[in-house]
Amino acid sequence: MSLESELREEKVAHLDLSGFAQVESGATVRMALAQLRAERQNVCLVTQDGQLRGIFTDRDVLRKVVNSPASLDVPIDQVMTANPITVHPDSSALDALHLMDENHFRNLPAVDEQGKIVGNMTHQAVIAYLAARYPEQVLNRPPQSDQFPRKPEGG
């Protein structure tokens, strides 16, 4: 089975989608940043009544907050990306990767039919899936792709 066909068959819901923080709409940017720091994440999903309303990423911090200290005390709703593009948990990992590539996303919220947040799809989630599935090929890569060992491992 090829890597492409395997990713086509693998569902987004089967990947590790845990890489996100979450705040309620109306929270200040300062509160969202504190949540990001506390959870050691780089993306914050903004919700209202349990539904996804927006996404706030480290890129938003760099583009909208760093040069404007006054924005720390405004509601997150003013600096987040409202109504972000999402992926369904039953979508294939390959389709989600294509969506991320086409839109230059590093984070893609996964949301079910009821609008409930299932998680956050990242490239790292796919790498972790592949590393678990093919540990020898993924984890034993040399630092430089043209570098090959002179003798077998352990020899």
Side-chain angles (χ1 to χ4, degrees):
M1 180 179 282
S2 74
L3 181 60
E4 181 179 347
S5 61
E6 194 160 335
L7 288 174
R8 183 174 285 119
E9 290 180 21
E10 191 61 45
K11 303 291 182 210
V12 168
H14 297 147
L15 302 174
D16 178 9
L17 303 176
S18 64
F20 68 98
Q22 188 172 326
V23 296
E24 190 71 16
S25 176
T28 64
V29 171
R30 187 182 308 274
M31 292 168 62
L33 290 172
Q35 192 71 26
L36 286 168
R37 276 193 303 270
E39 296 186 31
R40 302 181 69 112
Q41 299 295 334
N42 66 349
V43 63
C44 189
L45 301 182
V46 181
T47 60
Q48 185 174 21
D49 301 324
Q51 304 289 305
L52 180 66
R53 293 292 177 242
I55 186 169
F56 180 69
T57 69
D58 52 354
R59 285 185 183 175
D60 293 321
V61 173
L62 294 173
R63 291 181 178 155
K64 302 172 185 175
V65 177
V66 168
N67 291 327
S68 177
S71 65
L72 289 171
D73 297 312
V74 302
I76 193 72
D77 308 76
Q78 291 182 20
V79 294
M80 71 180 188
T81 300
N83 304 312
I85 294 173
T86 61
V87 66
H88 191 276
D90 288 335
S91 297
S92 76
L94 186 65
D95 289 343
L97 280 171
H98 282 304
L99 185 60
M100 292 172 76
D101 185 50
E102 290 168 6
N103 292 288
H104 308 287
F105 294 156
R106 292 185 297 159
N107 296 281
L108 182 62
V111 179
D112 67 13
E113 295 88 7
Q114 291 78 34
K116 181 178 179 254
I117 297 171
V118 176
N120 179 46
M121 163 92 177
T122 63
H123 293 104
Q124 184 59 40
V126 175
I127 292 168
Y129 164 78
L130 293 173
R133 189 105 169 144
Y134 304 101
E136 188 173 317
Q137 293 87 341
V138 174
L139 300 176
N140 289 333
R141 300 295 306 166
Q144 298 165 341
S145 60
D146 60 342
Q147 181 181 21
F148 294 97
R150 296 180 208 266
K151 55 186 176 181
E153 183 178 343

